[in-house]
Amino acid sequence: MRDVPSATAAWIATWRGLGSRLPRSAQLASDPFGLRFGGPLGAWLGRLPAMATFPAWPMVIYIQVRTRLIDDVLRGFLTAGGRQVLILGAGYDCRAARFQDELTGALVLEVDHPATQARKREVLERTGIRLPARVSFVEWDFARRPMSELPGALFEVGLDKAAPVLTLWEGVTNYLEAAQIDASVGALRGLSAPGSQLVLSYLDRACIDRPRMERRLVARVAAMKGEPFRFGWFPAQLPGWFSDRGFDLLWDRDGADIAKDLLPLRWARLCSSRGHRFALLRRQGDPDRSPGP
Ligand SMILES: C[S@@+](CC[C@H](N)C(=O)[O-])C[C@H]1O[C@@H](n2cnc3c(N)ncnc32)[C@H](O)[C@@H]1O
């Protein structure tokens, strides 16, 4: 990506913030901070009457599903006693603020491109968003800084290498090169103690190789902002690919199927486009526990 704050991060934060404008039965997660990161567009959308945001609902509902799914993984990890959370490519993810209470005493490490992270910190400070005490920001350009150095940098800011960590890798993998993905997963294996988990979203490779019309349009706009879609896995490859790199797959699901589970049909139909997938992995060699999505 270019050396400017991520445009896609601002869009996602905006869609997340607009979740509160959806009808109640379509709401799955609340992010009262999202619109603050959307710049003038976010501010304008935030002032519109709820019904006027209707054209954006398919995207907003998809982001509700994505947010809720990852929120549930985070809740499960914290409830099971996990106290370390790493957010890779954090963008304007405000889970540190949204989960203030549950994260009391936990360590949250946010890793992101320096330009995006600088903007996030500026908005957090300017708009008075309070974070729990143990949040550390670590600047990292995945394209320029060797990922092999990431574990050491995180240990330096307090990551306990003997304690489990939950890594959130949400909305990032499709923007990276294959070599950066490989290096990132190697780094994650290097910093993951027994009991650690990794939750990620990814694009089915077929959507990159043969995108449908609407996805081609989104990809083109993202590319114009310097954030082209580059990487995806074929779902059938995922278990073997991660197993070779020290992680076992617990589940891997399409967002459209998760939407059907979480939402009334009339809302789930709005995000029925397939290929946005989610997976939960755990460090290999851990005792068998298979939480459902
Ligand atoms: C679509 S945003 C997702 C942000 C956040 N995880 C979310 O779901 O709201 C993509 C994120 O990946 C980060 N990113 C993309 N390429 C990067 C790179 N080469 N180095 C560091 N961060 C990068 C961007 O800064 C941005 O925060």
Side-chain angles (χ1 to χ4, degrees):
M1 64 178 277
R2 298 175 189 148
D3 284 330
V4 294
S6 162
T8 61
W11 300 339
I12 299 298
T14 303
W15 305 140
R16 229 175 0 241
L18 281 179
S20 62
R21 309 298 153 94
L22 292 169
R24 275 244 170 269
S25 58
Q27 292 185 19
L28 298 171
S30 153
D31 183 350
F33 313 110
L35 289 172
R36 301 185 200 183
F37 296 90
L41 175 69
W44 178 72
L45 287 168
R47 283 194 298 271
L48 290 179
M51 276 310 289
T53 62
F54 178 72
W57 285 7
M59 198 58 198
V60 176
I61 291 177
Y62 162 67
I63 294 297
Q64 284 288 290
V65 171
R66 163 170 150 177
T67 305
R68 169 64 175 273
L69 184 80
I70 295 175
D71 283 358
D72 285 351
V73 171
L74 174 59
R75 261 187 216 106
F77 181 77
L78 295 173
T79 304
R83 305 317 290 153
Q84 304 194 106
V85 181
L86 167 62
I87 313 182
L88 210 53
Y92 306 127
D93 177 326
C94 281
R95 286 192 176 85
R98 294 173 50 236
F99 284 77
Q100 283 271 354
D101 296 340
E102 296 94 322
L103 285 167
T104 303
L107 176 71
V108 180
L109 298 169
E110 296 208 358
V111 176
D112 205 351
H113 189 282
T116 310
Q117 195 168 84
R119 174 158 189 271
K120 179 178 198 172
R121 298 185 72 170
E122 184 270 312
V123 175
L124 287 172
E125 202 171 306
R126 178 165 47 80
T127 68
I129 300 174
R130 281 166 43 82
L131 299 178
R134 297 185 68 212
V135 179
S136 284
F137 293 94
V138 178
E139 295 181 351
W140 211 277
D141 183 340
F142 305 138
R144 293 196 190 140
R145 245 180 120 176
M147 291 305 288
S148 55
E149 292 174 8
L150 184 68
L154 296 181
F155 296 144
E156 255 174 47
V157 292
L159 184 72
D160 177 356
K161 62 172 91 170
V165 58
L166 170 66
T167 300
L168 315 185
W169 207 11
E170 178 188 5
V172 184
T173 56
N174 50 308
Y175 298 105
L176 303 184
E177 305 276 5
Q180 293 160 7
I181 294 279
D182 218 345
S184 300
V185 173
L188 292 178
R189 184 62 178 81
L191 58 79
S192 292
S196 296
Q197 296 186 345
L198 162 63
V199 62
L200 61 92
S201 65
Y202 74 96
L203 273 184
D204 185 329
R205 177 81 224 172
C207 298
I208 297 202
D209 294 344
R210 295 183 305 281
R212 287 160 51 136
M213 239 287 263
E214 78 276 5
R215 202 161 282 140
R216 206 175 309 152
L217 203 69
V218 174
R220 195 163 297 167
V221 179
M224 278 162 51
K225 293 288 181 184
E227 299 176 62
F229 288 6
R230 293 190 165 106
F231 183 84
W233 284 277
F234 288 111
Q237 284 180 328
L238 210 69
W241 193 97
F242 272 100
S243 172
D244 290 347
R245 289 157 181 83
F247 287 92
D248 287 332
L249 182 66
L250 294 176
W251 49 258
D252 171 23
R253 297 193 68 201
D254 198 284
D257 296 327
I258 299 166
K260 276 194 235 154
D261 284 353
L262 294 177
L263 288 165
L265 197 57
R266 67 180 183 287
W267 303 129
R269 276 205 196 104
L270 290 185
C271 55
S272 59
S273 156
R274 305 188 72 80
H276 287 278
R277 299 190 65 92
F278 299 88
L280 180 66
L281 300 119
R282 69 159 176 231
R283 199 194 94 131
Q284 245 161 31
D286 290 347
D288 193 27
R289 271 176 290 124
S290 302

